Amino acid sequence: MTHMSPAPGGASRRSVVAAVGATGLAAALAACGGSDDKATPPGTPDADATSGTQRTSQPGQESSAAGATGDRVLARTSEIPVGGGKVFADRRVVVTQPSQGEFKAFSAICTHNKCVVKDVSDGTINCPCHGSKFSIEDGGVRHDPAKLPLPEMKISVRGDSIGLA
């Protein structure tokens, strides 16, 4: 068998295979890598929020006629189903209503791999990345791989408005 050189300006088989392999590796790394907009850096309110539901506005906050304050309004109480909840991915918060009139809020950032949780169903807050599930009552882990609960966040419920406190 004789070795043939590529035609001038042509690519060798080795070059083509290397280029295809590098492209595939880059695509795999991009698919497996995290996105900065999914993660909440330590030291931010989402990562460090720890206290529970609050039903009145904080001192110094002005209440609107509708209830919760200005651009911090998340939803109307009627939008949060009893025994369920709603994810506000843009605000990185999930609001739940474990029982009639009891509203809770948790970080929407999964403690396992920093993905944004997807939905609330069957009494759990569900992460699409690896299947972690968290309780709508206390944010506790109900299904691995997450080991830590979702941090609880402060909300304000005034009238029929729910907002971040």
mmCIF file with all atom_site columns, all heavy atoms in Angstrom, residues 108-126:
data_model
loop_
_atom_site.group_PDB
_atom_site.id
_atom_site.type_symbol
_atom_site.label_atom_id
_atom_site.label_alt_id
_atom_site.label_comp_id
_atom_site.label_asym_id
_atom_site.label_entity_id
_atom_site.label_seq_id
_atom_site.pdbx_PDB_ins_code
_atom_site.Cartn_x
_atom_site.Cartn_y
_atom_site.Cartn_z
_atom_site.occupancy
_atom_site.B_iso_or_equiv
_atom_site.pdbx_formal_charge
_atom_site.auth_seq_id
_atom_site.auth_comp_id
_atom_site.auth_asym_id
_atom_site.auth_atom_id
_atom_site.pdbx_PDB_model_num
ATOM 1   N N   . ALA A 1 108 ? -35.894 29.601 43.338 1.00 0.00 ? 108 ALA A N   1
ATOM 2   C CA  . ALA A 1 108 ? -36.182 28.711 42.210 1.00 0.00 ? 108 ALA A CA  1
ATOM 3   C C   . ALA A 1 108 ? -34.906 28.091 41.651 1.00 0.00 ? 108 ALA A C   1
ATOM 4   O O   . ALA A 1 108 ? -34.930 27.472 40.594 1.00 0.00 ? 108 ALA A O   1
ATOM 5   C CB  . ALA A 1 108 ? -36.925 29.468 41.110 1.00 0.00 ? 108 ALA A CB  1
ATOM 6   N N   . ILE A 1 109 ? -33.797 28.241 42.364 1.00 0.00 ? 109 ILE A N   1
ATOM 7   C CA  . ILE A 1 109 ? -32.521 27.687 41.927 1.00 0.00 ? 109 ILE A CA  1
ATOM 8   C C   . ILE A 1 109 ? -32.266 26.371 42.666 1.00 0.00 ? 109 ILE A C   1
ATOM 9   O O   . ILE A 1 109 ? -32.121 26.355 43.885 1.00 0.00 ? 109 ILE A O   1
ATOM 10  C CB  . ILE A 1 109 ? -31.359 28.678 42.192 1.00 0.00 ? 109 ILE A CB  1
ATOM 11  C CG1 . ILE A 1 109 ? -31.659 30.050 41.589 1.00 0.00 ? 109 ILE A CG1 1
ATOM 12  C CG2 . ILE A 1 109 ? -30.044 28.110 41.668 1.00 0.00 ? 109 ILE A CG2 1
ATOM 13  C CD1 . ILE A 1 109 ? -31.888 30.064 40.098 1.00 0.00 ? 109 ILE A CD1 1
ATOM 14  N N   . CYS A 1 110 ? -32.216 25.283 41.922 1.00 0.00 ? 110 CYS A N   1
ATOM 15  C CA  . CYS A 1 110 ? -32.002 23.962 42.510 1.00 0.00 ? 110 CYS A CA  1
ATOM 16  C C   . CYS A 1 110 ? -30.663 23.925 43.240 1.00 0.00 ? 110 CYS A C   1
ATOM 17  O O   . CYS A 1 110 ? -29.648 24.389 42.721 1.00 0.00 ? 110 CYS A O   1
ATOM 18  C CB  . CYS A 1 110 ? -32.034 22.891 41.419 1.00 0.00 ? 110 CYS A CB  1
ATOM 19  S SG  . CYS A 1 110 ? -31.767 21.217 42.049 1.00 0.00 ? 110 CYS A SG  1
ATOM 20  N N   . THR A 1 111 ? -30.668 23.346 44.429 1.00 0.00 ? 111 THR A N   1
ATOM 21  C CA  . THR A 1 111 ? -29.454 23.276 45.233 1.00 0.00 ? 111 THR A CA  1
ATOM 22  C C   . THR A 1 111 ? -28.487 22.193 44.752 1.00 0.00 ? 111 THR A C   1
ATOM 23  O O   . THR A 1 111 ? -27.353 22.135 45.216 1.00 0.00 ? 111 THR A O   1
ATOM 24  C CB  . THR A 1 111 ? -29.795 23.030 46.718 1.00 0.00 ? 111 THR A CB  1
ATOM 25  O OG1 . THR A 1 111 ? -30.560 21.818 46.825 1.00 0.00 ? 111 THR A OG1 1
ATOM 26  C CG2 . THR A 1 111 ? -30.584 24.193 47.291 1.00 0.00 ? 111 THR A CG2 1
ATOM 27  N N   . HIS A 1 112 ? -28.904 21.373 43.811 1.00 0.00 ? 112 HIS A N   1
ATOM 28  C CA  . HIS A 1 112 ? -28.023 20.320 43.299 1.00 0.00 ? 112 HIS A CA  1
ATOM 29  C C   . HIS A 1 112 ? -27.046 20.853 42.264 1.00 0.00 ? 112 HIS A C   1
ATOM 30  O O   . HIS A 1 112 ? -25.846 20.720 42.413 1.00 0.00 ? 112 HIS A O   1
ATOM 31  C CB  . HIS A 1 112 ? -28.842 19.171 42.688 1.00 0.00 ? 112 HIS A CB  1
ATOM 32  C CG  . HIS A 1 112 ? -28.002 18.185 41.943 1.00 0.00 ? 112 HIS A CG  1
ATOM 33  N ND1 . HIS A 1 112 ? -28.094 18.024 40.580 1.00 0.00 ? 112 HIS A ND1 1
ATOM 34  C CD2 . HIS A 1 112 ? -27.042 17.331 42.365 1.00 0.00 ? 112 HIS A CD2 1
ATOM 35  C CE1 . HIS A 1 112 ? -27.226 17.095 40.195 1.00 0.00 ? 112 HIS A CE1 1
ATOM 36  N NE2 . HIS A 1 112 ? -26.578 16.653 41.263 1.00 0.00 ? 112 HIS A NE2 1
ATOM 37  N N   . ASN A 1 113 ? -27.575 21.467 41.197 1.00 0.00 ? 113 ASN A N   1
ATOM 38  C CA  . ASN A 1 113 ? -26.708 21.868 40.088 1.00 0.00 ? 113 ASN A CA  1
ATOM 39  C C   . ASN A 1 113 ? -27.032 23.266 39.576 1.00 0.00 ? 113 ASN A C   1
ATOM 40  O O   . ASN A 1 113 ? -26.684 23.605 38.460 1.00 0.00 ? 113 ASN A O   1
ATOM 41  C CB  . ASN A 1 113 ? -26.808 20.835 38.962 1.00 0.00 ? 113 ASN A CB  1
ATOM 42  C CG  . ASN A 1 113 ? -25.592 20.820 38.069 1.00 0.00 ? 113 ASN A CG  1
ATOM 43  O OD1 . ASN A 1 113 ? -24.498 21.150 38.507 1.00 0.00 ? 113 ASN A OD1 1
ATOM 44  N ND2 . ASN A 1 113 ? -25.769 20.448 36.815 1.00 0.00 ? 113 ASN A ND2 1
ATOM 45  N N   . LYS A 1 114 ? -27.754 24.047 40.375 1.00 0.00 ? 114 LYS A N   1
ATOM 46  C CA  . LYS A 1 114 ? -28.056 25.456 40.078 1.00 0.00 ? 114 LYS A CA  1
ATOM 47  C C   . LYS A 1 114 ? -28.948 25.665 38.855 1.00 0.00 ? 114 LYS A C   1
ATOM 48  O O   . LYS A 1 114 ? -28.956 26.733 38.272 1.00 0.00 ? 114 LYS A O   1
ATOM 49  C CB  . LYS A 1 114 ? -26.775 26.278 39.933 1.00 0.00 ? 114 LYS A CB  1
ATOM 50  C CG  . LYS A 1 114 ? -25.826 26.172 41.103 1.00 0.00 ? 114 LYS A CG  1
ATOM 51  C CD  . LYS A 1 114 ? -26.417 26.755 42.348 1.00 0.00 ? 114 LYS A CD  1
ATOM 52  C CE  . LYS A 1 114 ? -25.424 26.730 43.491 1.00 0.00 ? 114 LYS A CE  1
ATOM 53  N NZ  . LYS A 1 114 ? -25.992 26.266 44.718 1.00 0.00 ? 114 LYS A NZ  1
ATOM 54  N N   . CYS A 1 115 ? -29.721 24.663 38.469 1.00 0.00 ? 115 CYS A N   1
ATOM 55  C CA  . CYS A 1 115 ? -30.706 24.838 37.395 1.00 0.00 ? 115 CYS A CA  1
ATOM 56  C C   . CYS A 1 115 ? -31.921 25.561 37.972 1.00 0.00 ? 115 CYS A C   1
ATOM 57  O O   . CYS A 1 115 ? -32.191 25.475 39.172 1.00 0.00 ? 115 CYS A O   1
ATOM 58  C CB  . CYS A 1 115 ? -31.169 23.484 36.868 1.00 0.00 ? 115 CYS A CB  1
ATOM 59  S SG  . CYS A 1 115 ? -29.883 22.551 36.025 1.00 0.00 ? 115 CYS A SG  1
ATOM 60  N N   . VAL A 1 116 ? -32.676 26.222 37.120 1.00 0.00 ? 116 VAL A N   1
ATOM 61  C CA  . VAL A 1 116 ? -33.933 26.833 37.545 1.00 0.00 ? 116 VAL A CA  1
ATOM 62  C C   . VAL A 1 116 ? -34.995 25.737 37.558 1.00 0.00 ? 116 VAL A C   1
ATOM 63  O O   . VAL A 1 116 ? -35.127 24.987 36.584 1.00 0.00 ? 116 VAL A O   1
ATOM 64  C CB  . VAL A 1 116 ? -34.349 27.974 36.586 1.00 0.00 ? 116 VAL A CB  1
ATOM 65  C CG1 . VAL A 1 116 ? -35.697 28.545 36.979 1.00 0.00 ? 116 VAL A CG1 1
ATOM 66  C CG2 . VAL A 1 116 ? -33.290 29.067 36.572 1.00 0.00 ? 116 VAL A CG2 1
ATOM 67  N N   . VAL A 1 117 ? -35.732 25.637 38.675 1.00 0.00 ? 117 VAL A N   1
ATOM 68  C CA  . VAL A 1 117 ? -36.784 24.621 38.747 1.00 0.00 ? 117 VAL A CA  1
ATOM 69  C C   . VAL A 1 117 ? -37.826 24.906 37.670 1.00 0.00 ? 117 VAL A C   1
ATOM 70  O O   . VAL A 1 117 ? -37.974 26.044 37.218 1.00 0.00 ? 117 VAL A O   1
ATOM 71  C CB  . VAL A 1 117 ? -37.423 24.548 40.150 1.00 0.00 ? 117 VAL A CB  1
ATOM 72  C CG1 . VAL A 1 117 ? -36.388 24.121 41.179 1.00 0.00 ? 117 VAL A CG1 1
ATOM 73  C CG2 . VAL A 1 117 ? -38.079 25.843 40.546 1.00 0.00 ? 117 VAL A CG2 1
ATOM 74  N N   . LYS A 1 118 ? -38.554 23.869 37.272 1.00 0.00 ? 118 LYS A N   1
ATOM 75  C CA  . LYS A 1 118 ? -39.457 24.002 36.124 1.00 0.00 ? 118 LYS A CA  1
ATOM 76  C C   . LYS A 1 118 ? -40.911 24.210 36.502 1.00 0.00 ? 118 LYS A C   1
ATOM 77  O O   . LYS A 1 118 ? -41.592 25.055 35.938 1.00 0.00 ? 118 LYS A O   1
ATOM 78  C CB  . LYS A 1 118 ? -39.337 22.759 35.242 1.00 0.00 ? 118 LYS A CB  1
ATOM 79  C CG  . LYS A 1 118 ? -40.218 22.821 34.017 1.00 0.00 ? 118 LYS A CG  1
ATOM 80  C CD  . LYS A 1 118 ? -40.074 21.589 33.168 1.00 0.00 ? 118 LYS A CD  1
ATOM 81  C CE  . LYS A 1 118 ? -40.977 21.698 31.958 1.00 0.00 ? 118 LYS A CE  1
ATOM 82  N NZ  . LYS A 1 118 ? -40.980 20.510 31.160 1.00 0.00 ? 118 LYS A NZ  1
ATOM 83  N N   . ASP A 1 119 ? -41.413 23.409 37.460 1.00 0.00 ? 119 ASP A N   1
ATOM 84  C CA  . ASP A 1 119 ? -42.841 23.471 37.747 1.00 0.00 ? 119 ASP A CA  1
ATOM 85  C C   . ASP A 1 119 ? -43.130 22.950 39.155 1.00 0.00 ? 119 ASP A C   1
ATOM 86  O O   . ASP A 1 119 ? -42.226 22.521 39.863 1.00 0.00 ? 119 ASP A O   1
ATOM 87  C CB  . ASP A 1 119 ? -43.650 22.681 36.713 1.00 0.00 ? 119 ASP A CB  1
ATOM 88  C CG  . ASP A 1 119 ? -43.283 21.200 36.659 1.00 0.00 ? 119 ASP A CG  1
ATOM 89  O OD1 . ASP A 1 119 ? -42.682 20.670 37.611 1.00 0.00 ? 119 ASP A OD1 1
ATOM 90  O OD2 . ASP A 1 119 ? -43.601 20.553 35.649 1.00 0.00 ? 119 ASP A OD2 1
ATOM 91  N N   . VAL A 1 120 ? -44.409 23.020 39.499 1.00 0.00 ? 120 VAL A N   1
ATOM 92  C CA  . VAL A 1 120 ? -44.884 22.517 40.782 1.00 0.00 ? 120 VAL A CA  1
ATOM 93  C C   . VAL A 1 120 ? -46.043 21.564 40.479 1.00 0.00 ? 120 VAL A C   1
ATOM 94  O O   . VAL A 1 120 ? -46.993 21.940 39.796 1.00 0.00 ? 120 VAL A O   1
ATOM 95  C CB  . VAL A 1 120 ? -45.376 23.671 41.697 1.00 0.00 ? 120 VAL A CB  1
ATOM 96  C CG1 . VAL A 1 120 ? -45.857 23.124 43.031 1.00 0.00 ? 120 VAL A CG1 1
ATOM 97  C CG2 . VAL A 1 120 ? -44.277 24.700 41.897 1.00 0.00 ? 120 VAL A CG2 1
ATOM 98  N N   . SER A 1 121 ? -45.930 20.325 40.978 1.00 0.00 ? 121 SER A N   1
ATOM 99  C CA  . SER A 1 121 ? -47.012 19.355 40.779 1.00 0.00 ? 121 SER A CA  1
ATOM 100 C C   . SER A 1 121 ? -46.942 18.288 41.864 1.00 0.00 ? 121 SER A C   1
ATOM 101 O O   . SER A 1 121 ? -45.869 17.995 42.396 1.00 0.00 ? 121 SER A O   1
ATOM 102 C CB  . SER A 1 121 ? -46.918 18.704 39.392 1.00 0.00 ? 121 SER A CB  1
ATOM 103 O OG  . SER A 1 121 ? -45.720 17.972 39.259 1.00 0.00 ? 121 SER A OG  1
ATOM 104 N N   . ASP A 1 122 ? -48.077 17.727 42.195 1.00 0.00 ? 122 ASP A N   1
ATOM 105 C CA  . ASP A 1 122 ? -48.173 16.639 43.171 1.00 0.00 ? 122 ASP A CA  1
ATOM 106 C C   . ASP A 1 122 ? -47.456 16.959 44.486 1.00 0.00 ? 122 ASP A C   1
ATOM 107 O O   . ASP A 1 122 ? -46.811 16.098 45.076 1.00 0.00 ? 122 ASP A O   1
ATOM 108 C CB  . ASP A 1 122 ? -47.619 15.340 42.575 1.00 0.00 ? 122 ASP A CB  1
ATOM 109 C CG  . ASP A 1 122 ? -48.393 14.897 41.341 1.00 0.00 ? 122 ASP A CG  1
ATOM 110 O OD1 . ASP A 1 122 ? -49.632 15.068 41.330 1.00 0.00 ? 122 ASP A OD1 1
ATOM 111 O OD2 . ASP A 1 122 ? -47.767 14.409 40.383 1.00 0.00 ? 122 ASP A OD2 1
ATOM 112 N N   . GLY A 1 123 ? -47.537 18.221 44.916 1.00 0.00 ? 123 GLY A N   1
ATOM 113 C CA  . GLY A 1 123 ? -46.966 18.612 46.197 1.00 0.00 ? 123 GLY A CA  1
ATOM 114 C C   . GLY A 1 123 ? -45.464 18.841 46.207 1.00 0.00 ? 123 GLY A C   1
ATOM 115 O O   . GLY A 1 123 ? -44.873 18.991 47.272 1.00 0.00 ? 123 GLY A O   1
ATOM 116 N N   . THR A 1 124 ? -44.841 18.853 45.014 1.00 0.00 ? 124 THR A N   1
ATOM 117 C CA  . THR A 1 124 ? -43.398 19.085 44.956 1.00 0.00 ? 124 THR A CA  1
ATOM 118 C C   . THR A 1 124 ? -43.030 20.136 43.912 1.00 0.00 ? 124 THR A C   1
ATOM 119 O O   . THR A 1 124 ? -43.731 20.327 42.923 1.00 0.00 ? 124 THR A O   1
ATOM 120 C CB  . THR A 1 124 ? -42.599 17.797 44.645 1.00 0.00 ? 124 THR A CB  1
ATOM 121 O OG1 . THR A 1 124 ? -42.997 17.290 43.375 1.00 0.00 ? 124 THR A OG1 1
ATOM 122 C CG2 . THR A 1 124 ? -42.776 16.744 45.727 1.00 0.00 ? 124 THR A CG2 1
ATOM 123 N N   . ILE A 1 125 ? -41.902 20.791 44.174 1.00 0.00 ? 125 ILE A N   1
ATOM 124 C CA  . ILE A 1 125 ? -41.272 21.734 43.246 1.00 0.00 ? 125 ILE A CA  1
ATOM 125 C C   . ILE A 1 125 ? -40.243 20.903 42.490 1.00 0.00 ? 125 ILE A C   1
ATOM 126 O O   . ILE A 1 125 ? -39.400 20.246 43.107 1.00 0.00 ? 125 ILE A O   1
ATOM 127 C CB  . ILE A 1 125 ? -40.594 22.880 44.025 1.00 0.00 ? 125 ILE A CB  1
ATOM 128 C CG1 . ILE A 1 125 ? -41.628 23.607 44.890 1.00 0.00 ? 125 ILE A CG1 1
ATOM 129 C CG2 . ILE A 1 125 ? -39.876 23.823 43.077 1.00 0.00 ? 125 ILE A CG2 1
ATOM 130 C CD1 . ILE A 1 125 ? -41.022 24.481 45.978 1.00 0.00 ? 125 ILE A CD1 1
ATOM 131 N N   . ASN A 1 126 ? -40.300 20.911 41.164 1.00 0.00 ? 126 ASN A N   1
ATOM 132 C CA  . ASN A 1 126 ? -39.556 19.945 40.365 1.00 0.00 ? 126 ASN A CA  1
ATOM 133 C C   . ASN A 1 126 ? -38.467 20.576 39.506 1.00 0.00 ? 126 ASN A C   1
ATOM 134 O O   . ASN A 1 126 ? -38.715 21.533 38.771 1.00 0.00 ? 126 ASN A O   1
ATOM 135 C CB  . ASN A 1 126 ? -40.536 19.195 39.467 1.00 0.00 ? 126 ASN A CB  1
ATOM 136 C CG  . ASN A 1 126 ? -41.687 18.639 40.264 1.00 0.00 ? 126 ASN A CG  1
ATOM 137 O OD1 . ASN A 1 126 ? -41.498 17.899 41.217 1.00 0.00 ? 126 ASN A OD1 1
ATOM 138 N ND2 . ASN A 1 126 ? -42.899 19.028 39.913 1.00 0.00 ? 126 ASN A ND2 1
#
